[in-house]
Amino acid sequence: MVLSAPAVLLALVPIWYVADSALDAGWHTIKRTVFRERVADLLGNTLQLCVLTMLACLVLGLATAWLVECTDLPLRRVWAVLFVVPLAIPAFVNSYAWISLTRSVSGLSGAVIVTALSYFPFVYLPASAALRRLDPTLEESGLSLGLGPVAVLWRVVLPQLRPALFGGALLVGLHALAEYGALSMLQFQTFTTAIVVQYQSDGEAAPMLAGVLVLLGLLFVTVEVLARGRRRYSRTGFGTARSRRETRLGVATLPVLTACVGLVALALGVPLYAVGKWLARDSGWEGSAVWDAVTSTLQLGVFGAVAAAVVAYPLAWAAVRGRGLVTTAAERLPYLTSALPGVVVALALVAAFADVDGLYQTTALTVAAYVMLFLPRALVNLRVAIAQSPPELEQAGRALGVSGLPLLRRVTLPLIAPGVGAALAFVFLAVCTELTATLLLAPTGTTTLATEFFTAADELDYSAAAPYAALMILVAAPVTYLLLRQHRRGHLP
Amino acid sequence: MKAAAVLPIATIALTACSGGQDVPADALVIYNAQHKSVGEMWGKAFTKATGIKVVLRNGKDFELANQLVEEGAGSRADVFLTENSPAISVVERAGLFTPVDAATLEQVPERYSTTSGNWIGIAARSTAFVYNKDKIQPDALPKSILDLAKPEWKGRWGAAPGGADFQAIVSAVLELEGAAATKQWLAGMKANFTEYSNNIATMKAVNEGESDGGIIYHYYWYRDQAENKQDSGNTALHFFGTQTAQDPGAFVSLSGGGVLKGSKNADKAQQFLKYITGAEGQKALADSAEFEYSVGSDVSSNPALKPLDELESPIVDPSKLNGQTVITLMTDAGLI
C-alpha cells in the first residue's frame, strides 16, 4: 500500500489545484461561472457525446470481438489485425482527415462518429481477449441446464465479460471527457474544449469548469465500480480450457463481411486516404525541424510509458489483492485525474513548481504530467493481468521460500509481462499525441509531432499538418503491432 | 513488496537524469504569442545580425500571459511578444515588465505604442468583415460592426469568440461604446452569429457559403489571396472605418513586445526589441508573406495591403483595453 503513494500523490496534485482554485474564487464566482446557460449546454453536449460514444464503442467492440473469436467469419486473422490498427491513428488525426475531406462531419453526430471510430479498439481488445479465455464448459453447463442460446449469452457469457466491457467503456468515456484536439476541429464544444478556450482568453472559469469535469469523472468511475462487482474472474478448473466451437454465420456471412469492410474503410481508409492526399501536395518539409519533433516525441513517449507503468504497478497490485475500500478508492483516484484536460494538469504543475529551478520546464516535470494524465491506461492493463494471474502461484512461490524481488521477477512479472507490455504501449501512444500539457511544460524550444501538427492544423493548413500526421501514425504503428502480437498470443488483458 | 520499492525510485532517478534545462543560459528566451512564423522570422534575422542565440516558446496570447504571471519574477522568459494588446496588458498590470529603452520607444509613433512605455507596438492588424460575394452585394454591407447585432443579420455571420483576436475587438467595442452598449451588442451577437474555432475556419465557412459574412483580421484574407485563394476565392474584404467614423469595427489591434523584469539577459532583450521595431525588423515583416502591418521606423507595410492610415481606425489607447471585463461580459452573454 505504501508503494502506491507516488501514484496517489501524483493523482491528487491536479485535483487539489482545482479544488483550491474554486475555494479561492469563492462562492460568488462559482455561481456566476458554473450555474449558467452555457454550462448547461456544455454539460448536455459532454454527456451526450460520452454516452453515445461509449454505447457505440461497446456495440462495435463487442460485435467485432465476437465475430473474430466466436464465429466462422472468413479471414478472421486479417480482421483481428484490422480491428486493432485504428489505435495507431490518433483521434485528432482522424478528425483532421474527416474535416479536411468534408465539412458535413461536425456537431454531435460528427463528434460521435470520429471518437467512436478512434476508440472502439479500447473495447475490442479486452472483449476479444476475454471471449477467447472463456471456458466453454460454463456455457455448456448453461445449455444443459435448459437455457436457450440467447439466455446463455445474456446470463453466462456477458457477465464474464463485465470487467473487460466496463473497463473498456470507462476508458472510452474518460477519453471522450478529456478529448480536446479532435473535438475542437469538429467545432463541437464540451467541457474540455471550453476549459481550453477559457484558459486561452484569461477566463477565470477554467478551474470551475474543470471542477464539474472532475465530478463527471467521479460519476463514471463510481458507476464502473458498482457495475463491475467483486467477483472472481480467473478460472478455477484444472488443466487447459478446451477451445470453443464456432458459431456459423451461414447466410449472414456476406452482410457481416460487408459491414466489416465498411467499418475498416471508415476507421482506417478515410484517415489514411486524407493524410496521403495532403501529403502529396507540396508542403515544404523542413527536415531538421521534423527530425527534432520525432526524436523528442519518442523520448517523451518512452519516459512517460516507463514512469507510468512503474508508478501504476504497486497500486494495481494492491487494488487486486487488497480489494478494501481504501485501495479501491486509491485505485480509482487516477481515473478522476485523467478525466481532466492536459491543460489543467499542466496549470496545476505550473502553479506548484513555477519557482522550483531545475524542475520547472524540464523533461522530468513533463513526464510527471504524463503519468498523472495516463496512469489509468497503465492501471487497466496491469490490473487485469494481475487479476488473471492466480494468487495461488505467488503463494506457492512464497511457500517455496521465494519472496520480494525474486518473487516479483520469477513469478509475478512473467505472469503479467503481457499486461506490462500493453501498459507501456498504451501510455506511449497517448504521450505521442498529447498536446496541451506538453505546450506548457516541455522545455522551451521543444517541439513534438503533436505540437507541430496542431500548429498547422489550427490554421487549417492541411498540407503542412500532413507530414506530422503521417509520422504520428508511423511512430504508433510498431507499438500497435506489438499490442497486436501480444493480443494474438492471448497475452493481452 | 519491500523490493518493489526499487521500481518507483528507479523511475524518479530515470526521469531526473533526463531533466535539466535544455536551454543555454546565454540564449534569449522569447515567449512568443505572435504567429510562430513571425517569431521565427525575427528570431533568425536577429541571430544573424547579432550572433545572439534565440529560443522560442510558442503559445497563444493569454496562455503565455497567464503562464508568465504564474511564473512571476522567477520566469526564464526574457521577452514577451503578443498578437493583441489585452494579453500584454495582463503582464504589465502584474508589474512584470521593465521599461522599454527610450531610443526604442522613439522608433514607433505614439499612436502605435503605449503611454506607460512598459511595452511597445511591434506590428498591427485590422478588423475586417469578410463576405461571400454571391450572398451579399456591396450596397447591402453593414455600415458598422454594431449593425451585426440587428435582427436582419440573424443567422448570417460568423466569428471565433473563443480567440484572443475577437476578444480584442470586443475590448474596442467596450472602450468606444461603453459597457451597456457592449452588453446589448453581445446579446444580439449571441442571437445572430455562428461560432467557429478561429479566423481561418470563419473565413472558410464564408467562402463555402455556410455564412454570408464573418468578422476576422485582415491578414488571413490577404495571405490566402496571395497563396491560392482556396479559402477566400468567393469572398471580398470590407473595412468598416471608411463607412462610420470611430467605428469599433475598424479597430486596429496592436501586437506588443516587452522585456521581463526578471530577465538575466536584459540588455540583449532590449536589443531584440530595438531590432524588431527598427528598420530591418519592420522591413522583414513587410517583405514576408505574413501581411501584418509594420508600425515602426516609417517602414511601409506590404504593398498589397490597404495602407494603415487609410483605414480610418478609431483612436483607442491600447493600455486601456480591458481583457478581464470583456471576458466577464462575454461569459455572461454565453459566448464563451
Side-chain angles (χ1 to χ4, degrees), chain A residues 84-161:
Chain A
V84 181
V85 181
L87 276 183
I89 297 170
F92 60 64
V93 169
N94 217 343
S95 185
Y96 147 91
W98 283 91
I99 202 82
S100 73
L101 294 178
T102 163
R103 287 183 66 82
S104 59
V105 176
S106 64
L108 178 65
S109 57
V112 172
I113 290 172
V114 168
T115 48
L117 288 175
S118 301
Y119 298 156
F120 84 87
F122 286 131
V123 177
Y124 168 81
L125 276 175
S128 72
L131 275 174
R132 188 179 317 166
R133 224 177 275 120
L134 285 189
D135 193 338
T137 49
L138 285 176
E139 288 152 64
E140 283 154 16
S141 310
L143 287 170
S144 71
L145 289 170
L147 292 179
V150 177
V152 167
L153 182 74
W154 193 250
R155 290 180 54 188
V156 181
V157 178
L158 281 182
Q160 294 185 81
L161 295 182

Side-chain angles (χ1 to χ4, degrees), chain B residues 12-322:
Chain B
I12 290 157
L14 176 78
T15 49
C17 289
S18 69
Q21 294 284 357
D22 297 355
V23 180
D26 60 342
L28 205 55
V29 173
I30 294 174
Y31 275 32
N32 177 44
Q34 246 293 351
H35 293 183
K36 192 179 169 204
S37 45
V38 173
E40 277 173 355
M41 171 193 79
W42 274 333
K44 275 179 192 155
F46 179 69
T47 306
K48 206 173 157 197
T50 61
I52 297 168
K53 199 170 153 26
V54 170
V55 186
L56 295 183
R57 184 170 196 91
N58 295 300
K60 298 197 171 172
D61 272 3
F62 286 106
E63 266 172 23
L64 290 176
N66 290 337
Q67 194 164 1
L68 280 169
V69 171
E70 198 74 63
E71 289 169 9
S75 177
R76 175 67 182 82
D78 298 306
V79 175
F80 182 34
L81 304 180
T82 64
E83 277 200 78
N84 298 284
S85 41
I88 206 163
S89 297
V90 167
V91 179
E92 184 183 14
R93 275 198 295 276
L96 294 172
F97 283 135
T98 189
V100 177
D101 281 351
T104 308
L105 286 171
E106 273 170 22
Q107 294 191 130
V108 177
E110 213 174 295
R111 171 93 208 274
Y112 302 115
S113 206
T114 52
T115 39
S116 68
N118 284 326
W119 56 270
I120 186 172
I122 56 173
R125 60 267 304 281
S126 174
T127 312
F129 185 71
V130 61
Y131 65 98
N132 189 305
K133 287 184 283 189
D134 298 332
K135 303 268 182 148
I136 304 179
Q137 295 311 308
D139 55 352
L141 283 165
K143 297 271 180 288
S144 158
I145 195 172
L146 300 176
D147 291 349
L148 294 175
K150 291 179 181 167
E152 62 256 38
W153 285 95
K154 190 168 176 63
R156 293 181 58 201
W157 63 286
D165 289 352
F166 189 80
Q167 288 161 13
I169 298 171
V170 178
S171 73
V173 177
L174 176 65
E175 177 64 19
L176 292 162
E177 308 290 327
T182 308
K183 204 170 169 177
Q184 209 182 345
W185 183 68
L186 290 174
M189 168 177 175
K190 171 79 177 169
N192 287 355
F193 94 124
T194 309
E195 179 173 348
Y196 295 102
S197 58
N198 57 34
N199 282 297
I200 301 176
T202 307
M203 182 171 78
K204 208 173 158 77
V206 172
N207 190 50
E208 284 166 23
E210 233 177 76
S211 267
D212 294 359
I215 294 291
I216 59 169
Y217 277 149
H218 75 281
Y219 55 84
Y220 292 102
W221 189 83
Y222 283 101
R223 244 167 34 181
D224 194 65
Q225 289 279 316
E227 262 173 40
N228 49 21
K229 304 190 185 177
Q230 189 184 314
D231 298 331
S232 68
N234 307 323
T235 67
L237 210 56
H238 169 62
F239 291 97
F240 289 107
T242 46
Q243 306 281 324
T244 313
Q246 283 290 85
D247 192 71
F251 169 62
V252 166
S253 183
L254 206 55
S255 303
V259 174
L260 276 301
K261 212 182 238 171
S263 167
K264 293 191 179 71
N265 300 309
D267 285 349
K268 292 176 188 165
Q270 293 286 1
Q271 215 179 320
F272 180 79
L273 279 191
K274 185 169 187 182
Y275 178 84
I276 63 170
T277 54
E280 248 178 274
Q282 291 292 301
K283 193 158 178 338
L285 182 66
D287 293 345
S288 73
E290 299 295 336
F291 294 100
E292 294 190 37
Y293 284 106
S294 301
V295 293
S297 305
D298 295 324
V299 171
S300 39
S301 302
N302 191 314
L305 296 173
K306 191 180 168 88
L308 192 52
D309 50 18
E310 284 176 27
L311 293 177
E312 294 178 45
S313 57
I315 309 283
V316 180
D317 178 356
S319 301
K320 281 202 187 141
L321 296 180
N322 191 327

